[in-house]
Amino acid sequence: MPVAHHASRGRQLRHAENFFLRGEPKILYSSSTFRNVPRGQVPEVAFLGRSNVGKSSLLNKLMNKNLCHISKNPGRTKTMNFFAVGGEDEQGNPGRLTVLDMPGYGHKSRTEWGGEIMKYLVGRKQLVRTFVLIDSMHGVKRYDEALLQALRESAVSHQVLLSKVDRILFSRGRQPTQQILQRNATALQQTAESIRDRLDAMDVAGPRPLGEILACSTAASLEKGKWLGINNLRWAVLAATGLNEIRRRPVRLERDKGQEYALEPMPAATEYL
């Protein structure tokens, strides 16, 4: 990767991490029906996934706080849960961004949830992006394909996110050598490309998934406290909502003749998956 691109990517990831660590994330409200959802004042992003795909664990890492209940039993999330993140904004809203945890679909989910979920996804003006979690070990299943088809037909802006990628990268649950990690990373890339090909081949009208296919893990990291892909996901959220502006402070540089001002470079951050 070119040095300039790497430094730019590092600034983006650092900005995204700082945004989600700013302020204390908090739950705003929960609702089982779209009509009871209060009107929002800030951008919203929604997270959807098949039951037991790891959505709650991922959202806890995304927000850096355990606000979503984690259970081994599918279908634990039973309401649409709204969380404020990014700290209070200039208008006094409790968060600059709202993250929405949706009930899971598929095994042990409730049929009526599907109708309420689609009402929100189609009718919510504050919603700017829906992230659809796909289990990296199992790929696109029947329920996933049905949801993705519905999103395209309804022109809902969405992006695909592979969960539990540690099961591919760390196939035996141990920290692999650099050579094995590179080989497993290639396998993960092939998985993402295969899923992209399948999505492109869907015979349905409407906009295709946006952006790159993201990849995350809440069970492994390459650096302490840096969960695989979480900062990349954070940046994708900010880019989707228009909250990705990076401000740099001017600093004074002493020169032989006079004084000049320049932009202070932000420290580069490690680029994660």
Side-chain angles (χ1 to χ4, degrees):
M1 175 182 298
V3 174
H5 178 74
H6 183 81
S8 175
R9 188 59 170 170
R11 286 194 295 270
Q12 292 172 353
L13 298 182
R14 184 177 180 86
H15 172 73
E17 182 177 37
N18 289 339
F19 179 94
F20 277 85
L21 297 184
R22 185 188 304 131
E24 185 80 2
K26 59 188 70 175
I27 185 163
L28 293 174
Y29 38 78
S30 298
S31 179
S32 58
T33 60
F34 174 53
R35 69 175 180 272
N36 290 328
V37 176
R39 180 177 299 178
Q41 303 296 325
V42 299
E44 297 176 1
V45 292
F47 285 80
L48 274 166
R50 203 167 60 241
S51 297
N52 217 26
V53 75
K55 177 169 51 63
S56 296
S57 297
L58 182 137
L59 289 175
N60 286 339
K61 292 295 188 293
L62 176 75
M63 297 184 290
N64 197 45
K65 187 174 182 179
N66 293 333
L67 294 175
C68 301
H69 185 84
I70 299 173
S71 174
K72 294 182 180 180
N73 299 319
R76 176 70 184 187
T77 304
K78 295 179 172 61
T79 57
M80 295 182 282
N81 302 311
F82 295 74
F83 302 94
V85 299
E88 185 174 307
D89 68 4
E90 294 79 3
Q91 286 73 44
N93 295 304
R96 299 173 63 199
L97 167 72
T98 298
V99 172
L100 172 59
D101 180 17
M102 286 285 202
Y105 56 84
H107 180 57
K108 289 195 175 181
S109 65
R110 296 182 180 177
T111 304
E112 61 268 25
W113 290 345
E116 293 303 320
I117 287 173
M118 289 308 301
K119 288 178 185 177
Y120 168 84
L121 297 176
V122 174
R124 186 68 165 178
K125 294 181 179 179
Q126 292 79 15
L127 178 67
V128 295
R129 180 78 50 95
T130 297
F131 291 89
V132 181
L133 276 69
I134 303 293
D135 192 316
S136 60
M137 290 295 291
H138 301 292
V140 179
K141 295 296 186 181
R142 175 168 57 92
Y143 289 112
D144 300 320
E145 190 164 349
L147 172 66
L148 291 165
Q149 179 175 334
L151 294 178
R152 288 180 62 170
E153 291 175 341
S154 301
V156 175
S157 173
H158 61 287
Q159 187 166 1
V160 173
L161 169 63
L162 298 183
S163 67
K164 304 180 181 180
V165 299
D166 55 285
R167 298 184 181 184
I168 296 178
L169 293 174
F170 309 117
S171 54
R172 296 185 179 179
R174 301 194 301 265
Q175 184 81 11
T177 64
Q178 189 62 35
Q179 182 179 6
I180 294 177
L181 182 60
Q182 184 59 49
R183 184 187 66 195
N184 292 346
T186 300
L188 177 59
Q189 181 64 31
Q190 291 171 346
T191 298
E193 291 173 356
S194 175
I195 290 175
R196 171 67 73 182
D197 290 342
R198 180 169 178 180
L199 298 180
D200 288 344
M202 289 175 60
D203 185 19
V204 58
R208 296 178 178 179
L210 297 171
E212 62 183 338
I213 292 181
L214 301 168
C216 291
S217 169
T218 61
S221 64
L222 294 178
E223 184 179 340
K224 186 178 180 180
K226 306 290 186 180
W227 301 100
L228 290 176
I230 292 299
N231 280 342
N232 263 344
L233 173 58
R234 287 168 171 165
W235 176 255
V237 168
L238 296 189
T241 56
L243 295 170
N244 58 334
E245 179 184 358
I246 300 177
R247 298 178 180 178
R248 295 186 288 181
R249 297 173 298 169
V251 294
R252 187 160 60 189
L253 299 179
E254 298 291 341
R255 296 291 180 88
D256 292 338
K257 295 182 180 181
Q259 296 175 341
E260 297 182 2
Y261 287 85
L263 291 177
E264 177 186 14
M266 295 179 66
T270 305
E271 183 168 13
Y272 305 106
L273 290 173

